[in-house]
Amino acid sequence: MTTQSKTSLENNTCKWCEKTFMSERTLSAHMCVKKRRWADKDLMHTRLAFRVFQMFYELNTTASKPKSNEDFIKSQYYDGFVKFGRSCLTNEYLKPEKFAEWLIKNGKKLSDWHKDKLYDEYLLSYVKKEPGMKALERTIIYLSEWSSENSSDWQDYFIKVSTPRAVHDLRSAKVSPWMLYLCDTGDKLLERFSDEQVKMIEHIIDATFWMKLFANNKEEVSDVKKACLAAGI
């Protein structure tokens, strides 16, 4: 084989699987697993997966240099992180990076990250620790979306929302107990829930927990009540 031929073949070698092809055209048509991963690198769920992959090493090692996209593509854990990223977007998870941080710090197995039971556990923790005004702001943004979908004033949410939708909204943390308990119209929704529906959300709206929290944060409770009153809800 001539030097020129050898160089040509080297130039037609896949950087990912190191397979060599006779021409540039066949190399271009070639699609191994890692080359496909590279082609998918800009997909939204893959970008999220890559960022979480970096976070995993930032939180678990002392390495100062961040992991590269190539490190991610070559990782044996690639599929697990991508599955998590896809699950976050498909299910519209609240604050995916915060969720990933919680999973990492709590030592949850990567193979379980996409499971609903872990997200429910995270949500409960997040909702109970979220500052009142942050919860208020986030809930109002969601109520505005509900308003557009249902051609109703967002201030009427607790009065007009269907109870199955409200159960879903509370379970997915779209609506915070801060507003459910502290705005003037929240009681109207609580009165409409069936016993079965209350059981579905009792771990989130746990009155004992929230009344104790409110009693220990009177200034914040006052701020949330004033904001709700000013908003007419």
Side-chain angles (χ1 to χ4, degrees):
M1 180 182 294
T2 66
T3 301
Q4 184 176 359
S5 298
K6 185 176 180 180
T7 301
S8 178
L9 285 176
E10 288 174 351
N11 290 338
N12 294 330
T13 299
C14 174
K15 66 175 285 188
W16 300 108
C17 66
E18 299 183 350
K19 186 175 181 179
T20 300
F21 297 86
M22 296 302 296
S23 69
E24 185 177 344
R25 180 179 61 81
T26 52
L27 172 61
S28 296
H30 160 72
M31 190 60 72
C32 62
V33 171
K34 290 176 183 176
K35 188 177 179 183
R36 187 177 299 281
R37 290 177 179 180
W38 177 257
D40 290 344
K41 71 183 189 310
D42 291 325
L43 296 177
M44 193 172 294
H45 70 277
T46 309
R47 289 168 59 188
L48 174 59
F50 171 48
R51 174 60 195 131
V52 173
F53 172 77
Q54 289 182 312
M55 287 173 57
F56 182 84
Y57 282 93
E58 288 167 4
L59 293 170
N60 284 317
T61 70
T62 57
S64 57
K65 184 180 178 182
K67 290 290 184 179
S68 69
N69 225 317
E70 290 197 16
D71 292 328
F72 179 46
I73 287 168
K74 293 176 180 178
S75 171
Q76 62 179 312
Y77 304 114
Y78 176 91
D79 288 334
F81 283 103
V82 168
K83 190 172 187 178
F84 172 73
R86 186 180 290 109
S87 182
C88 285
L89 296 186
T90 300
N91 297 306
E92 299 181 340
Y93 285 169
L94 175 69
K95 299 187 180 298
E97 289 192 24
K98 284 286 186 182
F99 178 32
E101 183 178 345
W102 179 86
L103 289 166
I104 295 166
K105 289 183 175 179
N106 284 276
K108 304 298 184 181
K109 293 180 180 179
L110 178 59
S111 58
D112 293 334
W113 282 18
H114 67 286
K115 294 180 179 178
D116 290 342
K117 65 178 183 179
L118 286 186
Y119 184 60
D120 289 344
E121 186 181 340
Y122 158 72
L123 271 188
L124 188 59
S125 171
Y126 180 87
V127 167
K128 287 185 173 182
K129 292 178 181 178
E130 185 179 29
M133 292 305 289
K134 284 285 186 182
L136 175 69
E137 179 184 359
R138 182 173 57 77
T139 300
I140 288 177
I141 290 172
Y142 171 70
L143 297 192
S144 296
E145 295 174 6
W146 173 87
S147 171
S148 298
E149 292 173 10
N150 293 274
S151 301
S152 296
D153 291 337
W154 68 265
Q155 291 91 340
D156 291 334
Y157 172 85
F158 293 107
I159 299 169
K160 294 184 177 180
V161 68
S162 70
T163 52
R165 173 70 178 264
V167 166
H168 173 269
D169 292 345
L170 284 161
R171 285 178 62 90
S172 58
K174 295 181 183 297
V175 172
S176 171
W178 276 95
M179 282 195 72
L180 179 68
Y181 282 120
L182 298 181
C183 75
D184 287 343
T185 56
D187 285 345
K188 298 184 184 300
L189 175 58
L190 286 169
E191 290 168 1
R192 292 194 288 125
F193 284 133
S194 67
D195 290 344
E196 183 181 359
Q197 288 171 329
V198 169
K199 287 181 181 178
M200 294 172 69
I201 56 176
E202 61 186 356
H203 61 298
I204 297 169
I205 65 169
D206 178 1
T208 301
F209 169 83
W210 288 102
M211 294 310 110
K212 183 177 179 180
L213 181 71
F214 295 156
N216 292 331
N217 295 273
K218 293 180 180 179
E219 185 175 341
E220 194 167 17
V221 167
S222 178
D223 290 340
V224 171
K225 283 185 174 180
K226 287 177 183 177
C228 287
L229 185 63
I233 187 171

